[in-house]
């Protein structure tokens, strides 16, 4: 669908930006060099960024694959149109936010290759740095009669909000004098009032069919410590208030968010318009544009629900390779390029839909196929003894690092009398169409010679414990005699005396159901009990030197990465990133 040379696929947001730029809508903007009110921006030079977008995560968890969609959308749009994309932490909610998450988000964005700062601008912001600005805006809205302090209890506020089918009821405090509201608001800030006793609300319309316009809350009292401002504040702004103002302070032109905020857009516009009238901001104001969130099958894209899996130790942590957090995907062996490719393929639409997990997995295969070096791994080992091979004789075999890319060079590995092969490459009694090892049959040992099976041994339990074979003369791959042998089977192997024994983790999808949390269901009940299978495998000896984070294609098996956390020098641990083919639903590649 997409190839590297094609222009970026169009989407409706790109069209909006093109039209805005074509109409010169943002040409007059000035930029103070940092966020601020209009009075500051007016002193600045014309904004060097043709557009400004932002990625505004709340630091209450690790970012996930859904965030990647938003990250690429915002950063790519800015890059493409000569703009800037800001990384803004939306950290206005004190109790749930932590420094660990702030760091995890920056790591993820950086790892995905998105850049928020360079020599000329550093666009890393915290909404909590705007608390004074937000407070000033609130006071002004109160003075102009656009906001009031409501002294109803939380229950009364709720009861009077009305429903989708019935209008709300005005608060008895709605018409209180601005001077009185202002005094109460200042008292709220200074800690005079208890939590839940006072609420700052916008004065809009209690009968609006849009519930978000029924005098929405702007500020509430919270005696909570904030991860950056400590105990400086005991009132905190609501998202719907902080977000448009943060956008306007930062000169954002296109404020992209997911569809569930569509109903909040009238409030976004109402607030900025009121503040523009009062001189806080100039035209053109930022515009909110909604797009469909990513829903991915066999996983969940909600920080809160992912958090629960971590807290209950149902996974090994936020970076568990089964988690579709960016940290988990990275540890699983996903590359930034594969995630970018995935995001390009799914595109940006205006209607919610579900994307199949197979699309993400295929993006990884397509990214790794041309670049991953090849190696041999025997995951379910069975001994093979070549009885006519001298006991101490070791020879060298070689194979291309990548079959289509000779410039990547060749790899060498030893062959000797005893090898490990895959258990399922041997059959005592071959089923129909089985071309690999069985008594009397010939196969080629990949990059080695042709052998014929002459027998096998069983252990006390009747399980095959060794396969016996003879090497056929002049059959080495790459020698003139090799072509004389016509064999249908070609199996991989490693020399038993030389192979590297390593832990390999075969991962499967974390959930056994396509929509684990659909309809408000508890996703935990849909966990796949077989999502991690740890084995000891025998690997090509050179893999001893694997560096954490390096990936390979283990021939005939799939793509594997040396685990970033548990690998030790000389003793890598491998994660299966993805099997060679999509085997989900059919026979699992085990
Ligand atoms: P969560 O429910 O996981 O906490 P959120 O929407 O509350 O997600 P934020 O940190 O507030 O997460 O979001 C940061 C940005 O990422 C927002 O612009 C949001 O719209 C976007 N985003 C979050 N989840 C998705 C998703 N599944 N698909 C696309 N964009 C998303
Ligand atoms: Mg959120």
């Amino acid at each position: 669908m997409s190839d590297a040379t094609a222009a970026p696929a169009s989407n409706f947001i790109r069209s909006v930006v093109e039209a805005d730029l074509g109409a010169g809508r943002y040409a007059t903007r000035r930029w103070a060099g940092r966020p601020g009110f209009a009075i500051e921006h007016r002193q600045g030079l014309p904004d060097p960024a043709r557009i400004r977008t932002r990625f505004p995560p709340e630091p209450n968890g690790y970012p996930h694959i859904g965030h990647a969609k938003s990250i690429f959308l915002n950063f790519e749009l800015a890059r493409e149109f000569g703009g800037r994309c800001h990384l803004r932490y939306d950290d206005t909610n004190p109790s749930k936010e932590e420094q660990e998450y702030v760091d995890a988000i920056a790591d993820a964005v950086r790892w995905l290759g998105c850049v928020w700062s360079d020599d000329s601008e550093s666009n890393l912001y915290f909404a909590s740095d705007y608390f004074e600005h937000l407070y000033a805006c609130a006071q002004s809205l109160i003075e102009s009669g656009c906001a009031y302090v409501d002294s109803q209890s939380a229950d009364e506020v709720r009861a009077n909000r009305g429903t989708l089918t019935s209008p709300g009821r005005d608060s008895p405090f709605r018409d209180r004098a601005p001077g009185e509201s202002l005094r109460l608001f200042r008292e709220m800030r200074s800690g005079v009032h208890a939590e839940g006793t006072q609420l700052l609300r916008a004065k809009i319309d209690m009968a609006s069919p849009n519930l978000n316009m029924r005098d929405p809350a702007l500020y509430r009292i919270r005696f909570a410590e904030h991860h950056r401002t400590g105990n400086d504040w005991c009132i905190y702004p609501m998202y719907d208030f902080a977000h448009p103002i943060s956008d306007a302070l930062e000169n954002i032109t296109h404020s992209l968010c997911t569809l569930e905020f569509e109903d909040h857009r009238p409030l976004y516009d109402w607030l900025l318009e009121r503040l523009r009238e009062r001189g806080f901001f100039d035209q053109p104001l930022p515009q909110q544009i909604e797009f469909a969130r990513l829903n991915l099958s066999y996983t969940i894209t909600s920080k809160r629900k992912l958090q629960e899996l971590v807290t209950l130790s149902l996974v090994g942590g936020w970076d568990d390779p089964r988690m579709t957090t960016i940290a988990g995907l990275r540890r699983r062996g996903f590359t930034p390029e594969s995630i970018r490719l995935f995001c390009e393929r799914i595109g940006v639409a205006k209607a919610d839909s579900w994307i199949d997990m197979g699309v993400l997995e295929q993006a990884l295969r397509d990214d790794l196929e041309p670049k991953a070096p090849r190696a041999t791994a025997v995951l379910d080992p069975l001994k093979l003894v070549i009885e006519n091979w001298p006991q101490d004789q070791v020879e060298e075999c070689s194979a291309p690092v990548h079959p289509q890319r000779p410039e990547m060079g060749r790899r060498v590995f030893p062959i000797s009398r005893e090898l490990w092969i895959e258990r399922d490459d041997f059959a005592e009694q071959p089923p129909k169409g089985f071309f690999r090892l069985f008594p009397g049959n010939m196969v080629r040992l990949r990059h080695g010679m042709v052998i014929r099976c002459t027998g096998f041994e069983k252990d006390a339990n009747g399980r095959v414990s060794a396969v016996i074979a003879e090497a056929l003369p002049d059959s080495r791959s790459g020698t003139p005699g090799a072509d004389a042998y016509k064999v249908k089977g070609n199996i991989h192997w490693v020399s038993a005396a030389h192979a590297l024994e390593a832990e390999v983790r075969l991962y499967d999808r974390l959930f056994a159901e396509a929509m684990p949390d659909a309809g408000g269901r508890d996703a935990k009940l849909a966990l796949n009990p077989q999502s991690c299978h740890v084995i000891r495998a025998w690997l090509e000896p050179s893999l001893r030197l694997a560096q954490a984070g390096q990936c390979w294609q283990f021939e005939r098996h799939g793509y594997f990465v040396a685990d970033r956390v548990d690998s030790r020098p000389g003793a890598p641990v491998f994660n299966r990133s993805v099997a060679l083919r999509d085997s989900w639903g059919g026979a699992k590649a085990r």
Side-chain angles (χ1 to χ4, degrees), residues 55-58 64 66-67 70 256 258 291 293-294 301-303:
F55 172 60
E58 185 178 355
H64 51 65
H67 293 107
S70 173
L256 314 181
T258 42
F291 65 95
R293 65 183 288 114
L294 169 66
T301 45
S302 152
K303 277 179 284 180

Side-chain angles (χ1 to χ4, degrees), residues 384-391 417 452-455 468-471:
L384 173 79
V385 180
I386 307 174
E387 53 183 354
N388 60 343
W389 186 285
Q391 195 75 42
R417 180 183 164 90
R452 176 187 288 115
C453 177
T454 55
I468 315 298
E470 59 177 0

Side-chain angles (χ1 to χ4, degrees), residues 56-58 60 67 90 96 239 260-261 303-304:
E58 185 178 355
N60 62 346
H67 293 107
D90 179 19
K96 295 188 296 181
Y239 172 90
E260 63 270 27
F261 290 100
K303 277 179 284 180
R304 185 179 54 76

Side-chain angles (χ1 to χ4, degrees), residues 235-269:
I235 54 172
Y236 289 94
M238 307 300 290
Y239 172 90
D240 277 339
F241 182 65
H243 205 83
I245 296 175
S246 303
D247 283 346
L249 289 166
E250 292 179 21
N251 251 12
I252 299 302
T253 54
H254 301 85
S255 177
L256 314 181
C257 63
T258 42
L259 277 179
E260 63 270 27
F261 290 100
E262 195 166 12
D263 286 348
H264 300 233
R265 184 166 12 111
L267 177 54
Y268 183 101
D269 291 339

